[in-house]
């Protein structure tokens, strides 16, 4: 058996002004043929899971192309065309493979193409024809469309956030694809879209944790191949953004539809639990200092590069500096100018410079600091988080700047913090810190829930704030919760209907 493997992954924040060019893809992953396998073997991510399962089952892998970039703004159409051309170049001729397994995201947006994944799957379907099965892994932040379902035989989304199950989903995708090829199963999918958009919510806590249990219970039933709650990506301004459920059953679409509607109703019943009050950085610091335990994580969810923000926001950094903290650290502040200055001046020097706030003013003003260059690094390490364990990370040059009792990790790559490695390579043991400031919404939890005695999420103006009413949506369908409070959910056997009371 021969299976084609490929990847196109991008989570697009359409409110970001930073275009996701080919250069940005190449900074993260742009791999052809065997290089795709080399980069992802022994890595606990989607493609790593696909590779391991194929090799365990004795399936021949035909690697095509992998393009993955960190979340940012729109993908230029020219870049998208280049990616398509790479797939065409590396795709085998018809008859030389039995199936296709792809790692996609679900929230990609290209200039003039709002539904990247739907369009890309139609493109792949055009190459392979109707008879070759296509199985796809997706991020739970996908904004799912009928076009995706139409052009794939099976969609399998992660259920956990942090995505510690992405490796397992990759393995599952190969198992299911093999079953389809051998005609052991005939997947039928149903998509149920809800009129609600939610902020990023971890699956480690309720209500997502409880809703996942509902999905897991349905998957134990005979004939249910998959039941996934997709949170949607709220920072993508497209008509179809929002929460959805996709259920796949073996040959019985009516059963899939009924299960999806049941889960949808349970989501709707707890809709108000997705939204939490705003905690500003200064408030979070005050709360942390009152706690006797350590370390305490303050995660700045509003400037999470993992959601397409610049990573140079200064609201939390300013609050930490003003608090004159001892035994505290923060990372990663994106500021290539400061990194270059620190590397030029060298370890042991004092630098006076403005840091952060250089991409825009929405995430805060630049701050004038006078700090001691404690250490410099090439930014290379292996990821040790349970999420994507083993990934080779290259963050390029970085620096550790000390201002009083605060250690500031400054980098030249937009990225959220997944684990403690960026601090360790600069000689910082996070276990000995009182307060750890992180640029991340939820993925840090995979590593830091094992480290922190308390996690306090702080929010402020930013492109990944939890306060969704701060965004100027132009395309998002209306009515939709929470913007239209009086909306009702109407689920019928034939379709989902939304209405406004007394409209």
């Amino acid at each position: 058996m021969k299976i084609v493997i490929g990847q196109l992954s991008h989570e697009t924040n359409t409110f970001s002004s930073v275009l996701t060019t080919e250069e940005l893809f190449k900074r993260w992953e742009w791999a052809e043929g065997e290089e795709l396998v080399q980069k992802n073997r022994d890595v606990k991510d989607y493609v790593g899971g696909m590779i391991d399962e194929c090799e365990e089952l004795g399936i021949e892998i035909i690697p095509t192309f992998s393009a993955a970039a960190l979340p940012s703004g729109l993908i230029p159409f020219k870049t998208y065309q280049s990616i398509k051309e790479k797939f065409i170049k590396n795709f085998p001729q018809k008859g030389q493979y039995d199936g296709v397994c792809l790692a996609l995201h679900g929230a990609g947006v290209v200039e003039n193409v709002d539904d990247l994944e739907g369009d890309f799957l139609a493109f792949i379907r055009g190459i392979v024809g109707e008879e070759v099965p296509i199985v796809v892994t997706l991020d739970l932040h996908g904004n799912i469309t009928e076009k995706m379902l139409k052009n794939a035989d099976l969609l399998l989304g992660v259920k956990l956030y942090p995505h510690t199950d992405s490796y397992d989903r990759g393995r599952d995708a190969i198992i299911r694809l093999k079953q389809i090829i051998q005609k052991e199963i005939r997947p039928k999918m149903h998509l149920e879209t809800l009129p609600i958009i939610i902020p990023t919510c971890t699956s480690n806590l309720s209500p997502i944790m409880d809703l996942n249990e509902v999905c897991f219970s349905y998957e134990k039933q005979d004939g249910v191949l998959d039941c996934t709650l997709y949170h949607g990506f709220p920072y993508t301004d497209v008509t179809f953004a929002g929460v959805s459920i996709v259920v796949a059953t073996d040959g019985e679409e009516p059963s899939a539809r009924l299960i999806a509607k049941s889960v949808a109703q349970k989501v709707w019943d707890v809709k108000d639990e997705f939204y939490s009050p705003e905690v500003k950085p200064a408030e979070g610091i005050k709360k942390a200092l009152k706690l006797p335990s350590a370390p305490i994580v303050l995660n700045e969810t509003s400037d999470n590069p993992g959601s397409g923000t610049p990573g140079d926001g200064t609201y939390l950094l300013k609050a930490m500096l003003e608090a004159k903290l001892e035994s505290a650290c923060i990372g990663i502040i994106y500021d290539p100018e400061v990194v270059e200055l620190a590397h030029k001046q060298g370890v042991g020097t004092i630098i006076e410079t403005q840091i952060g706030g250089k991409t825009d003013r929405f995430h805060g003003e630049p701050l004038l600091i006078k700090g001691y260059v404690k250490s410099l690094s090439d930014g290379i390490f292996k990821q040790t988080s349970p999420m994507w364990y083993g990934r080779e990370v290259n963050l390029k040059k970085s620096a550790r700047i000390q201002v009083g009792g605060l250690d500031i990790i400054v980098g030249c790559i937009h990225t959220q913090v997944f684990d403690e490695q960026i601090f360790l390579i600069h000689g910082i043991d996070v276990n000995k810190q009182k307060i750890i400031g992180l640029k991340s919404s939820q993925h840090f939890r995979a590593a830091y829930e094992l480290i922190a005695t308390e996690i306090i999420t702080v929010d402020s103006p930013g492109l990944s704030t939890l306060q969704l009413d701060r965004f100027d949506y132009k395309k998002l369908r209306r009515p939709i919760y929470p913007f239209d409070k009086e909306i009702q959910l109407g689920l019928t056997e034939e379709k989902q209907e939304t209405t406004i009371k007394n409209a």
Side-chain angles (χ1 to χ4, degrees), residues 435-456:
I435 295 177
I436 307 166
L438 300 177
K439 296 281 188 180
S440 182
S441 288
Q442 305 293 350
H443 283 327
F444 74 95
R445 290 178 179 271
Y448 280 89
E449 282 189 347
L450 304 174
I451 297 169
T453 58
E454 185 89 12
I455 294 172
I456 302 171

Side-chain angles (χ1 to χ4, degrees), residues 110 126 290 400 410 452:
V110 179
K290 290 179 181 178
R400 173 186 176 185
V410 191

Side-chain angles (χ1 to χ4, degrees), residues 199 235 276-279 459-460 464-471:
Y235 312 117
S276 54
E278 182 179 14
V279 177
D459 204 352
S460 50
S464 57
T465 175
L466 303 181
Q467 316 310 312
L468 301 183
D469 58 356
R470 293 179 180 169
F471 294 94

Side-chain angles (χ1 to χ4, degrees), residues 243-255:
V243 177
S244 63
I245 294 95
V246 175
V247 176
T249 51
D250 185 11
E252 294 185 15
E253 199 278 334
S255 176

